[in-house]
C-alpha cells in the first residue's frame, strides 16, 4: 500500500486549505458524535484564526492551548499555525505552579482554554465555550514557513523542571511523512485518537499523519477499556496509537465473546517498552497486529517501528524509519557492534531545533547532527532496535550494572502480573538494591505469587540482578504522557521498608 502524495510539503499552516480545495466534502475530523468535513474544518479554523488575531496574536507569538482532547483543540492548533504562531500544549491536569511555569518559560502571549478559568499572569484568554463558531470574517492567508517553530512540547520533567522542546514545521512535516511511509497511510485511513493531545504522539501520529495524506481522525475523548471496542465497532478506525499500560488494561478486560475489530489494520505501541509477551497475547486474542515503536519528543515522536506488514520481532522496537539513522555508541562515543548495549542516538530531519532558552542543555544532547537520547539499547543482527533501559534508570549494585528491562521481562512472564516496573533503592552496603513494583489481578494470592516470582528470578537471573524488594501496588503511577513514573517509584521505594508485601 503506497501513500498518496501529501497535501502539503513545507508546513502545516495551509493543510486545511489544501484539503478543502482537494476534497471539500471529504471527512476530516470527528469525535464519535459530530464529524466535520474538510470544508467545515477550514471554516472553523478560519474563525478561530480571526479570534486569535482579535486577541492580539501575531506571527511568532506562542499560543498556549489548555484544552481536553477534542475538536476545539485541533481547530485552534491549526488556527494558531495559520496565524504564524507557535503552539505549546498544556496538560489540563497541571497544578497552578506547573502551569504558570510553562506559561512563563514558553513566553506565551495568549491562552486558549475551555471556560476562561486558567490562572494567567495578565495574559488574554479565549474561552472556547463562549466563542463564536461563525460570523467572523477574515481573508488572511497562512503566514508561516518551514523554519518557523510549530510546537513547544514540554518534557515530562522526570529529571528536573520540564524543558521546552522546539519543533519546527519542517520537523513535524518530516515526521508525519516518515510515519506515513512506515505505516502505509492513505486517504482511506482513519485514526482513533485515545492519547492526550498535549503530547506530541497524540498530535502527530493520530492527527497530522492521516490528515497530511487525506485521511481522517476520530477523537475518542477519555479512554475507557470497558467500552473501547464498542467505540471501535461504531467508528471503524483503521488504526490507533496507545502505550503499554493501555494494552495491559484492555488485555485485563474480561472476555465477553467476539468483538468487531475488522476495520483495524494495526495498533501502535510506544512511550515505553511493552512487557514481554503482552503484544503477542493481545494480537492472538483480538485479531489485529500491534506494532511496537520507539521515539521521544526531541525526535518529534518516533524513530523506529516494527513493520506493520512485515517481520515484527517481539522484544524489539523495530527498524529505523525512512529518513532516519540509528546508532549505538559506548561511553566514549564510539560505535559498537550488533548485540552490544550502549546509548541510542538518532539522526534525521525530525530531530528538534533544541531546548527553548537552554543552549547548554541543547549542546549536551545535540552534536554533529546526532541526538543523544539517554536511552540504552542495542541493535540485533538485522538492525532491529532493542531498548534496554534509560541511562538514568540503570541500577548499579556493588559496581555491577543492572538493566531494569531484563528483570521486568522475567517478572512480567508470570500470568498474574499485569504490569511491572523495576527501580533502584539506595542501600548502604550495595549502593543500590533492585526493587520491583507490580500490579496484579484482584484474586491473586500475593504470598504464593511472590514465591513463584522468586522462583522465576532464581531460574532466569543472576543473583545480583534478583529483586531484593517486591511490592504490590493497586496501580503503577504514571506521568502526564502515560509512561510509568519511575521517579515516583524511587520515592516509594525509599519510603517503603518492605521486603515483600502491599504498598
Amino acid at each position: 500500500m503506497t501513500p498518496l502524495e501529501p497535501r502539503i510539503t513545507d508546513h502545516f499552516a495551509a493543510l486545511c486549505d489544501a484539503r478543502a480545495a482537494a476534497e471539500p466534502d471529504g471527512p476530516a475530523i470527528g469525535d464519535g458524535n459530530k464529524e466535520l468535513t474538510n470544508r467545515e474544518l477550514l471554516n472553523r479554523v478560519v474563525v478561530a484564526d480571526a479570534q486569535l488575531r482579535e486577541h492580539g496574536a501575531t506571527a511568532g507569538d506562542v499560543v498556549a492551548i489548555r484544552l481536553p482532547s477534542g475538536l476545539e483543540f485541533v481547530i485552534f492548533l491549526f488556527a494558531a499555525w495559520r496565524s504564524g504562531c507557535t503552539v505549546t500544549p498544556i496538560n489540563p491536569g497541571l497544578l497552578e505552579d506547573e502551569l504558570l511555569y510553562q506559561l512563563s518559560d514558553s513566553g506565551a502571549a495568549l491562552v486558549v482554554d475551555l471556560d476562561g478559568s486558567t490562572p494567567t499572569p495578565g495574559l488574554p484568554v479565549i474561552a472556547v465555550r463562549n466563542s463564536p463558531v461563525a460570523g467572523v470574517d477574515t481573508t488572511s492567508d497562512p503566514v508561516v514557513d518551514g523554519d518557523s517553530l510549530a510546537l513547544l512540547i514540554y518534557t515530562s520533567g522526570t529529571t528536573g523542571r520540564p524543558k521546552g522542546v522546539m519543533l519546527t514545521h519542517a520537523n513535524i512535516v518530516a515526521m508525519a511523512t516518515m510515519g506515513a511511509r512506515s505505516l502505509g497511510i492513505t486517504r482511506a485511513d482513519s485514526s482513533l485518537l485515545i492519547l492526550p493531545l498535549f503530547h506530541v504522539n497524540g498530535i502527530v501520529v493520530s492527527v497530522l499523519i492521516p490528515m497530511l495524506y487525506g485521511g481522517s481522525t476520530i477523537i475518542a475523548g477519555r479512554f475507557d477499556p470497558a467500552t473501547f471496542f464498542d467505540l471501535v465497532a461504531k467508528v471503524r478506525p483503521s488504526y490507533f496509537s496507545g502505550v503499554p499500560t493501555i494494552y495491559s488494561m484492555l488485555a485485563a478486560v474480561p472476555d465477553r465473546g467476539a468483538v468487531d475489530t475488522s476495520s483495524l489494520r494495526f495498533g501502535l505501541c510506544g512511550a515505553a517498552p511493552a512487557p514481554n509477551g503482552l503484544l503477542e497475547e493481545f494480537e492472538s486474542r483480538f485479531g489485529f497486529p500491534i506494532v511496537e515503536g520507539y521515539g521521544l519528543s526531541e525526535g518529534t515522536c518516533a524513530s523506529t517501528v516494527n513493520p506493520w506488514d512485515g517481520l515484527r520481532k517481539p522484544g524489539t522496537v523495530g527498524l529505523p524509519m525512512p529518513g532516519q539513522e540509528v546508532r549505538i555508541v559506548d561511553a566514549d562515543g564510539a560505535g559498537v557492534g550488533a548485540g552490544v548495549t550502549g546509548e541510542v542516538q538518532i539522526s534525521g530531519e525530525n530531530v528538534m531545533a533544541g531546548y527553548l532558552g537552554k543552549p547548554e542543555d541543547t549542546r549536551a544532547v545535540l552534536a554533529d547532527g546526532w541526538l543523544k537520547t539517554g536511552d540504552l539499547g542495542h541493535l540485533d543482527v538485522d538492525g532491529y532496535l532493542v531498548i534496554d533501559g534509560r541511562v538514568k534508570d540503570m541500577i548499579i549494585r556493588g559496581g555491577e550494572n543492572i538493566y531494569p528491562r531484563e528483570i521486568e521481562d522475567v517478572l512480567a512472564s508470570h500470568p498474574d502480573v499485569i504490569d511491572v516496573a523495576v527501580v533502584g533503592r539506595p542501600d548502604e552496603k550495595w549502593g543500590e538494591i533492585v526493587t520491583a513494583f507490580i500490579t496484579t489481578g484482584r484474586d491473586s494470592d500475593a504470598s504464593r505469587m511472590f514465591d513463584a516470582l522468586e522462583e522465576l528470578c532464581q531460574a532466569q537471573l543472576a543473583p545480583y540482578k534478583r529483586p531484593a524488594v517486591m511490592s504490590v501496588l493497586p496501580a503503577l503511577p504514571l506521568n502526564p504522557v502515560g509512561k510509568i513514573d519511575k521517579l515516583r517509584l524511587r520515592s516509594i521505594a525509599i519510603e517503603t521498608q518492605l521486603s515483600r508485601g502491599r504498598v
Side-chain angles (χ1 to χ4, degrees):
M1 190 179 298
T2 303
L4 297 175
E5 288 300 310
R7 293 291 190 251
I8 48 92
T9 58
D10 185 38
H11 58 77
F12 276 97
L15 178 60
C16 295
D17 300 74
R19 287 175 60 98
E23 192 178 5
D25 296 321
I29 192 162
D31 60 8
N33 297 310
K34 182 177 183 178
E35 294 187 11
L36 299 179
T37 66
N38 290 320
R39 178 165 42 200
E40 289 169 336
L41 175 60
L42 175 61
N43 290 340
R44 294 286 297 274
V45 168
V46 167
V47 170
D49 176 14
Q51 291 177 262
L52 291 170
R53 297 171 193 257
E54 289 175 355
H55 282 75
T58 60
D61 281 347
V62 174
V63 174
I65 300 182
R66 182 177 178 253
L67 291 170
S69 295
L71 295 178
E72 296 296 343
F73 189 110
V74 176
I75 289 165
F76 274 92
L77 177 75
F78 283 114
W81 287 343
R82 186 181 177 86
S83 296
C85 296
T86 302
V87 170
T88 187
I90 294 183
N91 177 358
L94 291 185
L95 300 179
E96 183 171 340
D97 177 66
E98 298 168 315
L99 165 68
L100 294 177
Y101 168 79
Q102 185 170 338
L103 291 176
S104 173
D105 190 74
S106 67
L110 187 150
V111 178
V112 180
D113 75 1
L114 201 59
D115 54 12
S117 63
T118 299
T120 63
L123 299 178
V125 179
I126 296 177
V128 298
R129 279 183 177 168
N130 303 322
S131 297
V133 295
V136 180
D137 182 31
T138 179
T139 57
S140 60
D141 294 321
V143 288
V144 73
D145 58 45
D147 293 329
S148 298
L149 283 185
L151 290 170
L152 272 175
I153 300 292
Y154 275 75
T155 60
S156 54
T158 56
T159 58
R161 277 291 203 179
K163 297 186 285 287
V165 175
M166 298 189 292
L167 302 177
T168 66
H169 279 272
N171 286 149
I172 60 177
V173 169
M175 183 73 263
T177 302
M178 295 168 181
R181 289 174 178 170
S182 295
L183 302 174
I185 299 299
T186 75
R187 64 186 298 273
D189 280 296
S190 174
S191 72
L192 178 61
L193 172 69
I194 58 176
L195 294 178
L197 279 169
F198 58 77
H199 187 246
V200 72
N201 187 310
I203 293 174
V204 173
V205 175
S206 296
V207 178
L208 299 187
I209 286 179
M211 293 193 70
L212 180 62
Y213 284 86
S216 59
T217 296
I218 297 294
I219 300 172
R222 184 179 293 276
F223 171 72
D224 182 350
T227 61
F228 176 76
F229 286 112
D230 293 331
L231 181 61
V232 166
K234 176 184 176 182
V235 303
R236 299 193 60 75
S238 58
Y239 77 93
F240 66 95
S241 180
V243 296
T245 301
I246 283 177
Y247 290 103
S248 293
M249 293 169 68
L250 289 172
V253 172
D255 191 349
R256 59 178 191 178
V259 293
D260 183 3
T261 62
S262 58
S263 67
L264 289 168
R265 289 201 292 122
F266 56 84
L268 290 164
C269 184
N276 193 32
L278 170 64
L279 302 187
E280 299 91 317
E281 293 171 8
F282 188 97
E283 179 176 348
S284 175
R285 176 178 173 185
F286 294 108
F288 61 94
I290 304 300
V291 178
E292 192 169 9
Y294 161 79
L296 60 168
S297 298
E298 289 86 344
T300 321
C301 185
S303 290
T304 68
V305 67
N306 269 282
W308 70 274
D309 60 347
L311 176 61
R312 297 189 302 279
K313 289 192 174 185
T316 81
V317 289
L319 297 165
M321 285 185 160
Q324 293 192 58
E325 293 182 68
V326 175
R327 70 181 184 185
I328 309 296
V329 302
D330 62 20
D332 297 322
V336 299
V340 180
T341 295
E343 183 182 29
V344 180
Q345 297 188 353
I346 64 173
S347 178
E349 293 182 3
N350 55 302
V351 172
M352 68 171 181
Y355 294 119
L356 178 68
K358 293 179 169 54
E360 292 185 5
D361 288 339
T362 299
R363 285 192 294 270
V365 299
L366 291 180
D368 301 322
W370 290 91
L371 172 65
K372 303 173 184 178
T373 68
D375 289 317
L376 294 168
H378 67 270
L379 296 171
D380 72 6
V381 292
D382 297 317
Y384 284 67
L385 177 63
V386 179
I387 298 299
D388 296 312
R390 290 284 297 173
V391 170
K392 293 183 175 63
D393 285 346
M394 185 173 66
I395 301 167
I396 303 177
R397 179 190 181 276
E400 297 276 9
N401 293 344
I402 301 172
Y403 302 116
R405 176 66 190 273
E406 180 182 5
I407 304 166
E408 290 165 351
D409 282 347
V410 171
L411 297 175
S413 68
H414 189 283
D416 287 345
V417 173
I418 295 175
D419 215 347
V420 59
V422 169
V423 298
R425 187 176 87 179
D427 183 78
E428 290 185 4
K429 179 179 179 180
W430 298 106
E432 287 184 297
I433 56 173
V434 178
T435 303
F437 292 96
I438 61 176
T439 64
T440 185
R442 293 180 181 177
D443 300 327
S444 298
D445 182 326
S447 180
R448 184 177 299 172
M449 182 186 61
F450 283 136
D451 290 340
L453 291 176
E454 287 172 353
E455 289 179 9
L456 276 174
C457 291
Q458 288 171 4
Q460 300 183 45
L461 296 171
Y464 73 92
K465 296 179 182 178
R466 297 171 192 165
V469 178
M470 286 193 287
S471 297
V472 175
L473 293 177
L476 298 184
L478 304 178
N479 67 19
V481 297
K483 296 182 182 180
I484 293 173
D485 189 345
K486 289 200 169 182
L487 187 64
R488 175 60 187 144
L489 286 177
R490 289 189 191 96
S491 296
I492 295 173
I494 292 171
E495 297 163 3
T496 304
Q497 298 303 316
L498 295 174
S499 60
R500 55 155 68 180
R502 294 185 181 271
V503 178

